[in-house]
Amino acid sequence: MTVEYSGKGDPARSLALLWRTSERTSRKGKPELSVDRIVRAAIEVADAEGLQALSMRRVAERLGVGTMSLYTYVPGKPELFDVMLDAVYGETARPEDVPGGWRGRLEQIARENWALYLRHPWLLQVAANRPVLGPNVTAKYDYELRAVDGIGLSDLEMDSVITLITGFVHGTARGAVEAAQAERMTGISDEQWWAAHAPFLSRIADASRYPTASRVGQAAGEELNAAYSPEHAFEFGLQRVLDGIEALVNRRRGEG
């Protein structure tokens, strides 16, 4: 999978575009183009065709305009990519009243991030070590931190908890997206794949030699109706991650 990096554009131009401090309008004052419309078209290209298909030319084709007309609004692809990221991160819901205390708030955050990756699978190709410093990313981070503010954690622990939650979601979402892509690219579902291999596997697999793998694999397969279920991995793993955070919170409260 190709990895894309954010923050490759000119810092001054990227930040100006992200925060809309110097947005240009059409020379003729026509509303047919704007930064927001260009960004929406770019996101549509990435959603439908993947990041490998994203180019200023492809975005212009989708909008039905000349490629050079985009440069009136966007300096280049690196800056456009940063604004795309900031735009999609603005999609996550941020309700103020979430039942279940801090645990319920973190669960809500995890589910919003999970849904975001499934809507925009190309996000999984983006290296997260250089965050986009835009308004939506900043607001998202602030909201997520407030989920664990005032429960006894240090500022570093608060940041680490959010990193743990979002990192877990990133990993399980990748599994879900890859599973969906495998079925789409091969035209064969997991059930069909296993059905085709089962007769041959039964001839060569020795349950007496691998008793634990045979027992557990059979139990998991019967329960999940597959060798691997991204949804089960997400639900099971999320609760275990929250259990671990709860142990930390309880320890900090005990120390206080």
Side-chain angles (χ1 to χ4, degrees), residues 39-58:
V39 170
R40 284 197 300 272
I43 292 170
E44 289 169 0
V45 170
D47 286 347
E49 304 173 40
L51 283 184
Q52 69 278 2
L54 183 65
S55 67
M56 298 294 278
R57 179 179 179 180
R58 185 68 190 87

Side-chain angles (χ1 to χ4, degrees), residues 19-32:
W19 292 88
R20 303 295 199 277
T21 60
S22 59
E23 183 171 1
R24 298 183 180 183
T25 57
S26 172
R27 295 175 184 175
K28 299 180 180 180
K30 295 182 180 180
E32 67 270 12

Side-chain angles (χ1 to χ4, degrees), residues 43-228:
I43 292 170
E44 289 169 0
V45 170
D47 286 347
E49 304 173 40
L51 283 184
Q52 69 278 2
L54 183 65
S55 67
M56 298 294 278
R57 179 179 179 180
R58 185 68 190 87
V59 174
E61 290 174 351
R62 192 171 188 90
L63 289 167
V65 300
T67 303
M68 295 307 297
S69 64
L70 301 186
Y71 292 97
T72 302
Y73 305 88
V74 180
K77 180 182 172 182
E79 293 82 7
L80 172 61
F81 185 61
D82 284 351
V83 185
M84 288 170 58
L85 289 170
D86 193 65
V88 295
Y89 281 125
E91 295 176 6
T92 56
R94 297 162 196 167
E96 290 301 324
D97 297 320
V98 179
W102 66 262
R103 185 164 178 142
R105 293 191 294 271
L106 286 181
E107 185 168 341
Q108 186 268 339
I109 288 168
R111 295 188 186 284
E112 282 295 318
N113 279 276
W114 168 267
L116 186 67
Y117 284 125
L118 297 189
R119 286 198 303 274
H120 306 293
W122 52 271
L123 283 173
L124 297 167
Q125 298 175 243
V126 181
N129 57 310
R130 295 180 180 177
V132 174
L133 304 177
N136 289 320
V137 169
T138 303
K140 179 177 181 290
Y141 178 57
D142 184 78
Y143 174 81
E144 292 172 347
L145 286 173
R146 284 189 282 118
V148 290
D149 193 17
I151 65 173
L153 302 180
S154 68
D155 286 351
L156 177 58
E157 287 171 336
M158 289 168 57
D159 176 79
S160 298
V161 163
I162 297 306
T163 299
L164 175 62
I165 288 289
T166 55
F168 162 74
V169 175
H170 184 278
T172 52
R174 181 184 293 276
V177 168
E178 289 175 348
Q181 290 176 341
E183 182 169 346
R184 185 170 62 254
M185 296 295 290
T186 65
I188 301 174
S189 68
D190 281 350
E191 290 183 18
Q192 292 171 322
W193 189 90
W194 279 105
H197 285 73
F200 302 97
L201 187 62
S202 63
R203 296 176 192 168
I204 61 176
D206 185 352
S208 63
R209 187 175 182 183
Y210 309 107
T212 307
S214 298
R215 187 188 78 247
V216 174
Q218 181 177 352
E222 291 174 352
E223 182 68 26
L224 303 175
N225 202 30
Y228 172 72

